[in-house]
Amino acid sequence: MQFLSIFHEINGDLKVVEKELEKYVLTQEPELTLAAGHLLKAGGKRIRPAFALLAGKFYRYDFEKILPLAVALEIIHMASLVHDDVVDASMTRRGHPTVKAKWGNRVSLHAGDYLSAVALKLISQYQDKRVLKVLSRVTVEMCRGEIQQISASFDAEQNLRDYLYRIKRKTALLISASCELGAVVTEAPEKIVRALTRYGYHVGMAFQITDDILDMISDEKVLGKPIGGDLRQGIITLPVIYALKHSQEKEHLRELVTKQVKSEEEVQEIIRLIKDSGAIKYSFDMANIYLNKAKKELNRLPDVKTKKTFKKLTSFIGERSF
Amino acid sequence: MQFLSIFHEINGDLKVVEKELEKYVLTQEPELTLAAGHLLKAGGKRIRPAFALLAGKFYRYDFEKILPLAVALEIIHMASLVHDDVVDASMTRRGHPTVKAKWGNRVSLHAGDYLSAVALKLISQYQDKRVLKVLSRVTVEMCRGEIQQISASFDAEQNLRDYLYRIKRKTALLISASCELGAVVTEAPEKIVRALTRYGYHVGMAFQITDDILDMISDEKVLGKPIGGDLRQGIITLPVIYALKHSQEKEHLRELVTKQVKSEEEVQEIIRLIKDSGAIKYSFDMANIYLNKAKKELNRLPDVKTKKTFKKLTSFIGERSF
């Protein structure tokens, strides 16, 4: 996998992170393992731990010091995914609730809470108060982002600002915190911490924008999930916002986008209209604006080997297909 | 209200706690206020902040120091109540899901997460690492308790040990932490901290046991909610466990208790069988064992006025009717 090859300087450490994750996620409680274990098996890019480890390379790298943080970051991310799994009666997919075992929803609910609490326990090991300060602030904002996403769903009136508000909270802040805190726990000087914080923020914004593009143009087999998931859930992403303004068939598009239940054909029709509007190029351009900002921050950092890794990673995000 | 009169020495400070709670729970986000605001309006006894404030009186009381903790404790409690509100499709009441506004469930989910994050932010102010250590441990255990409650629901095979495991996690640990940390943040000596921790634990156990008794014998008007709520939800409490062993009509009782959907008559029948078995007296006796242990811990504490308050509070819990 391309991602992994970029990370080669930390691959050994990432394996230890994976082992630790297993330890915390696969518990004695079978219900918990049931609710969160599939996430572990599904793998994932572990980009948050990776960013924390890489950020730690800009000063005095100390894996032992970064490990609990790296694990906590991925667990915070997992907790939010587990809560995304909690299905609402009014939020079924195409009218069919995801098949779940009895009590499935409530277990997901508490499993997410459990993971958050475990992350907190890991964080409580750090003397440096910045770790908790940053992560508590980020988790508050993550919830704000989720809530805005709910209230803005199926709403065709939202604009670029609403979108940026949301992806900042949904994604960018935690990636930014991963970079920031990877540096903090290695006691890096403030200048390095700040540059990494901003780097992570810009990369995170670009990462979510490309994620939202891929939801429309990727290959289902490569992406590992059906295309158009956001559209079905009513999440209005950047390409949609652009297309709603610039499509030749604005009105028709608006009608389709705001439909609470969409047929497969309608989803495909929306994607076609979006592609025709030039929204994909526009969105990639937007991602690249953030990536360029990220690259600029790298210039402020000391010339260590990891800088090249970060540069490669930044380029990769602009071109990724999964 | 009797509770409030016991608290007279901290009533002024509790009012400030209430104001702060409003500040954090009623946010700019209307969705959040919607999901958590009713809890605020419903009032509640605010026993966790009260315990923290009272515990602070055993050394150098400093309201400013305890305030963020007291607010965070109640918010942690509220977050768990908000998550209890998340209705599962398979966990409707008598077959009817609680009527909720569109997205209601998902908003409750994220509102609970938001409150937890806000509590975390409040806690991040403290220099003393014990605050985060204790609360992160308690929140992990609270989740374990919730999960055990789900997997043990409608299970007539559970025993006293399962019950004590659960109420310790559901209730006693957070009350214990309230007492412990009220002392910790006022920099009380270890001896005081330890006695208060144990006091809170025993009082918390007794508090939950009486809660579970009241769910069967209280007056709906006094309790403010329908009697037998636990039975309907399949939560097997101490009186049930006792009656399942000692009732003259064990088999009949077991059949009724394990029914996933119960008629009003069946709930009343269960309560009658429980009362006839002597389970209520047994349960009150059990509560009193814990209350006596709590009182013993008070003997280890310095002779300040608050000791009398704690004694009164302890007696009150044994006799309370709401």
Side-chain angles (χ1 to χ4, degrees):
Chain A
M1 219 196 270
Q2 226 176 325
F3 241 74
L4 283 177
S5 73
I6 294 175
F7 289 162
H8 72 272
E9 61 178 305
I10 49 162
N11 271 348
D13 292 347
L14 273 178
K15 272 182 199 147
V16 182
V17 169
E18 199 66 30
K19 278 256 170 292
E20 286 288 292
L21 274 174
E22 268 178 37
K23 201 174 89 186
Y24 289 106
V25 176
L26 308 177
T27 64
Q28 314 96 295
E29 265 95 350
E31 293 84 2
L32 277 174
T33 303
L34 192 77
H38 71 283
L39 278 175
L40 205 66
K41 271 185 227 134
K45 299 181 273 288
R46 311 289 184 238
I47 59 166
R48 289 150 196 88
F51 274 116
L53 294 171
L54 291 170
K57 298 269 183 181
F58 284 90
Y59 196 59
R60 295 187 191 133
Y61 188 73
D62 182 341
F63 179 56
E64 296 292 306
K65 274 190 191 160
I66 312 178
L67 181 59
L69 169 72
V71 175
L73 287 164
E74 189 66 18
I75 290 180
I76 290 171
H77 174 59
M78 281 180 152
S80 77
L81 294 182
V82 169
H83 275 181
D84 280 349
D85 270 3
V86 176
V87 175
D88 190 280
S90 59
M91 193 148 175
T92 49
R93 285 182 191 252
R94 291 178 245 175
H96 298 286
T98 311
V99 180
K100 291 220 170 211
K102 203 186 129 207
W103 309 126
N105 258 348
R106 290 192 85 80
V107 169
S108 293
L109 175 75
H110 294 301
D113 289 354
Y114 173 81
L115 290 175
S116 298
V118 165
L120 198 59
K121 223 169 150 181
L122 281 162
I123 291 158
S124 74
Q125 299 174 31
Y126 288 102
Q127 287 295 346
D128 196 315
K129 278 183 67 181
R130 283 176 291 176
V131 181
L132 180 61
K133 277 230 160 131
V134 168
L135 287 177
S136 63
R137 205 188 314 132
V138 169
T139 48
V140 166
E141 295 306 324
M142 283 173 78
C143 295
R144 286 219 170 98
E146 289 284 356
I147 285 163
Q148 193 252 26
Q149 177 164 307
I150 293 167
S151 63
S153 60
F154 297 105
D155 175 6
E157 304 305 319
Q158 64 194 289
N159 55 30
L160 177 62
R161 212 181 134 181
D162 299 317
Y163 173 75
L164 297 177
Y165 174 99
R166 187 161 69 235
I167 66 168
K168 173 181 174 180
R169 284 162 182 78
K170 262 180 69 176
T171 307
L173 288 178
L174 189 57
I175 292 181
S176 174
S178 304
C179 294
E180 177 177 7
L181 296 176
V184 161
V185 300
T186 53
E187 292 161 58
E190 196 49 32
K191 209 189 134 197
I192 294 182
V193 172
R194 255 184 263 137
L196 283 165
T197 307
R198 283 186 300 248
Y199 168 79
Y201 170 74
H202 294 311
V203 162
M205 293 295 280
F207 188 83
Q208 188 58 51
I209 294 171
T210 55
D211 227 43
D212 293 342
I213 298 171
L214 290 175
D215 189 58
M216 297 190 178
I217 65 159
S218 183
D219 185 323
E220 298 206 354
K221 279 172 214 144
V222 182
L223 196 65
K225 57 185 177 186
I227 301 298
D230 291 335
L231 292 171
R232 284 191 196 87
Q233 286 178 69
I235 303 171
I236 311 282
T237 57
L238 186 59
V240 187
I241 291 172
Y242 180 90
L244 280 169
K245 258 192 168 173
H246 298 93
S247 168
Q248 308 255 347
E249 298 173 61
K250 267 181 239 183
E251 286 314 311
H252 179 43
L253 179 61
R254 166 183 307 256
E255 230 170 79
L256 288 172
V257 163
T258 53
K259 270 186 89 166
Q260 305 257 345
V261 179
K262 301 174 175 75
S263 71
E264 190 49 39
E265 290 69 36
E266 286 168 332
V267 171
Q268 293 308 329
E269 170 83 352
I270 294 172
I271 293 177
R272 191 186 59 71
L273 289 171
I274 288 171
K275 284 181 178 167
D276 288 352
S277 75
I280 303 300
K281 187 190 173 303
Y282 167 81
S283 302
F284 269 126
D285 287 347
M286 180 78 83
N288 276 316
I289 290 172
Y290 281 105
L291 291 173
N292 285 329
K293 285 185 184 175
K295 279 181 189 154
K296 267 192 195 141
E297 292 300 331
L298 291 179
N299 295 334
R300 300 175 201 264
L301 288 166
D303 276 317
V304 298
K305 194 175 65 180
T306 308
K307 211 158 142 170
K308 270 194 197 140
T309 308
F310 266 161
K311 266 186 197 151
K312 264 192 248 165
L313 192 56
T314 318
S315 305
F316 176 72
I317 287 169
E319 299 150 13
R320 78 198 178 100
S321 55
F322 64 92
Chain B
M1 219 195 267
Q2 225 175 324
F3 240 76
L4 283 176
S5 73
I6 295 176
F7 289 163
H8 71 274
E9 61 178 305
I10 50 161
N11 271 349
D13 292 347
L14 274 177
K15 271 181 200 149
V16 181
V17 170
E18 198 67 30
K19 277 257 170 291
E20 286 287 291
L21 275 173
E22 269 178 37
K23 202 174 91 186
Y24 289 106
V25 176
L26 308 176
T27 65
Q28 314 94 295
E29 265 94 350
E31 293 84 4
L32 278 173
T33 303
L34 193 77
H38 70 283
L39 278 175
L40 204 67
K41 271 184 227 133
K45 299 182 270 291
R46 310 290 183 237
I47 60 165
R48 291 151 194 89
F51 275 115
L53 294 171
L54 291 170
K57 298 267 182 182
F58 285 90
Y59 196 60
R60 295 187 190 132
Y61 188 73
D62 182 341
F63 179 56
E64 296 290 305
K65 275 191 191 160
I66 312 178
L67 180 59
L69 169 72
V71 175
L73 287 164
E74 188 67 17
I75 289 180
I76 290 171
H77 173 59
M78 280 180 154
S80 77
L81 295 181
V82 169
H83 275 181
D84 281 349
D85 269 4
V86 175
V87 175
D88 190 280
S90 60
M91 194 149 176
T92 48
R93 281 178 194 253
R94 290 174 244 175
H96 299 285
T98 312
V99 181
K100 290 220 170 211
K102 205 185 126 203
W103 309 126
N105 258 347
R106 290 193 86 80
V107 170
S108 292
L109 176 74
H110 295 299
D113 290 354
Y114 173 81
L115 290 176
S116 298
V118 165
L120 198 59
K121 222 170 150 181
L122 282 162
I123 291 157
S124 73
Q125 298 174 33
Y126 288 102
Q127 287 294 346
D128 197 315
K129 278 183 68 182
R130 283 177 290 177
V131 181
L132 180 60
K133 277 228 159 131
V134 168
L135 287 178
S136 62
R137 204 188 315 132
V138 168
T139 48
V140 166
E141 295 306 324
M142 283 173 77
C143 295
R144 286 218 170 98
E146 289 283 356
I147 285 163
Q148 193 252 25
Q149 177 164 307
I150 293 168
S151 62
S153 60
F154 297 106
D155 174 7
E157 305 306 318
Q158 64 195 290
N159 56 29
L160 178 62
R161 210 181 135 182
D162 299 318
Y163 173 75
L164 296 177
Y165 174 98
R166 187 162 66 236
I167 66 168
K168 174 181 174 181
R169 283 160 183 79
K170 263 180 67 176
T171 307
L173 288 179
L174 190 57
I175 291 181
S176 175
S178 304
C179 293
E180 177 177 7
L181 297 177
V184 161
V185 301
T186 53
E187 292 161 58
E190 198 49 35
K191 208 188 135 199
I192 293 182
V193 171
R194 255 185 261 136
L196 283 166
T197 307
R198 285 186 300 250
Y199 168 78
Y201 170 73
H202 295 310
V203 161
M205 293 296 280
F207 188 83
Q208 188 59 50
I209 294 171
T210 55
D211 227 44
D212 294 341
I213 299 171
L214 290 175
D215 189 58
M216 297 187 177
I217 65 158
S218 183
D219 185 322
E220 298 208 352
K221 279 172 214 144
V222 181
L223 196 64
K225 57 184 177 185
I227 299 299
D230 292 336
L231 292 171
R232 286 192 194 88
Q233 287 178 67
I235 304 170
I236 311 282
T237 57
L238 186 59
V240 187
I241 291 173
Y242 180 90
L244 280 169
K245 260 192 167 170
H246 298 92
S247 168
Q248 308 254 347
E249 299 174 59
K250 267 181 238 181
E251 285 315 311
H252 179 43
L253 179 61
R254 165 182 306 257
E255 227 169 83
L256 288 172
V257 162
T258 53
K259 270 186 89 165
Q260 304 258 344
V261 179
K262 300 173 175 76
S263 70
E264 190 49 41
E265 291 69 37
E266 286 168 331
V267 171
Q268 294 307 328
E269 170 83 353
I270 295 172
I271 293 177
R272 192 186 57 73
L273 290 170
I274 288 171
K275 284 181 178 168
D276 288 353
S277 75
I280 301 300
K281 188 189 172 304
Y282 167 81
S283 303
F284 268 125
D285 287 348
M286 180 77 84
N288 276 315
I289 290 173
Y290 282 106
L291 290 173
N292 285 329
K293 286 185 184 173
K295 278 181 190 153
K296 267 190 196 143
E297 292 300 331
L298 290 180
N299 294 335
R300 301 175 201 264
L301 288 167
D303 276 317
V304 298
K305 194 177 64 178
T306 308
K307 213 160 140 166
K308 272 195 195 142
T309 306
F310 266 163
K311 267 186 195 150
K312 264 192 247 167
L313 192 54
T314 317
S315 307
F316 175 72
I317 286 170
E319 300 150 10
R320 77 198 179 100
S321 56
F322 63 92

